[in-house]
Amino acid sequence: NAGVTQTPKFQVLKTGQSMTLQCAQDMNHEYMSWYRQDPGMGLRLIHYSVGAGITDQGEVPNGYNVSRSTTEDFPLRLLSAAPSQTSVYFCASSYSVQSPLHFGNGTRLTVT
Amino acid sequence: EDQVTQSPEALRLQEGESSSLNCSYTVSGLRGLFWYRQDPGKGPEFLFTLYSAGEEKEKERLKATLTKKESFLHITAPKPEDSATYLCAVRDNMEYGNKLVFGAGTILRVKS
């Protein structure tokens, strides 16, 4: 099993550009989420989904959109990139809301 | 507001030198305390979940313990391959979904 797959691994954007970070899982997990990791800080929740067609905001949702049309995929869209969005982004999934999270290997995003 | 504080920020050990990492937390109602290991350029890898004070879990050279205010990750006779960042996270029973609040992590370096 591949687990949680994130693409791309690295991305450089100019301020104002938009892009989509891809996340796919092959474990039939209902719960998926996006976190960002910044130096000296803990991972922070951006958006999450408890199943296909259902999404909700985490603690730092501004500037990001998500959708969940299938169980497997949970893309994260940056609408208009800003330097403050320079970070490492992790997608995670779990079998249920009580299960441990399984993380992908991240996308390192730089906004200039 | 949920808070997780990990100490020390960094720890350097000689191979075989046992030590402990600390995770102090503040939550309104604990629904799980999680330990993860993160290698450079990778996503967090799940190690343990603890649910109630007094609970202990072990895996190879690692042992996690939990009290009402903190958790310890004890590393016995560490090896260089134990070098990584160790993350602690808590899930609050007031939060919807599988949101984890993470500490900033402890960077462990084990020298041979």
Side-chain angles (χ1 to χ4, degrees), chain B residues 49-111:
Chain B
T49 309
L50 302 167
Y51 289 101
S52 56
E55 188 174 359
E56 299 181 352
K57 294 268 181 78
E58 283 190 73
K59 179 180 179 180
E60 296 180 355
R61 295 176 293 282
L62 301 178
K63 179 180 176 180
T65 62
L66 181 65
T67 72
K68 288 187 177 180
K69 293 185 177 181
E70 57 190 351
S71 177
F72 292 93
L73 185 65
H74 306 277
I75 305 175
T76 302
K79 298 181 178 182
E81 53 261 43
D82 294 321
S83 297
T85 298
Y86 290 86
L87 304 175
C88 173
V90 296
R91 184 166 62 209
D92 187 334
N93 67 8
M94 299 302 292
E95 295 286 346
Y96 184 68
N98 199 0
K99 173 189 172 183
L100 297 186
V101 176
F102 282 84
T106 294
I107 302 171
L108 174 66
R109 292 289 179 260
V110 182
K111 297 188 72 174

Side-chain angles (χ1 to χ4, degrees), chain A residues 52-106:
Chain A
I54 306 169
T55 64
D56 207 342
Q57 296 180 350
E59 59 180 310
V60 288
N62 292 342
Y64 308 97
N65 272 355
V66 292
S67 60
R68 184 96 180 270
S69 57
T70 67
T71 299
E72 295 78 19
D73 299 299
F74 190 45
L76 178 72
R77 297 183 186 85
L78 278 70
L79 309 174
S80 177
S84 61
Q85 293 179 305
T86 293
S87 187
V88 182
Y89 291 86
F90 289 99
C91 180
S93 71
S94 64
Y95 178 73
S96 72
V97 293
Q98 285 89 23
S99 308
L101 289 175
H102 296 266
F103 285 84
N105 282 327

Side-chain angles (χ1 to χ4, degrees), chain B residues 13-33:
Chain B
L13 298 174
Q14 287 294 125
E15 184 172 3
E17 180 186 3
S18 301
S19 188
S20 297
L21 312 183
N22 178 264
C23 171
S24 298
Y25 64 90
T26 304
V27 295
S28 58
L30 187 67
R31 277 178 56 206
L33 184 139

Side-chain angles (χ1 to χ4, degrees), chain A residues 41-62:
Chain A
M41 301 180 68
L43 288 106
R44 292 179 293 166
L45 181 66
I46 305 171
H47 285 287
Y48 66 93
S49 168
V50 297
I54 306 169
T55 64
D56 207 342
Q57 296 180 350
E59 59 180 310
V60 288
N62 292 342

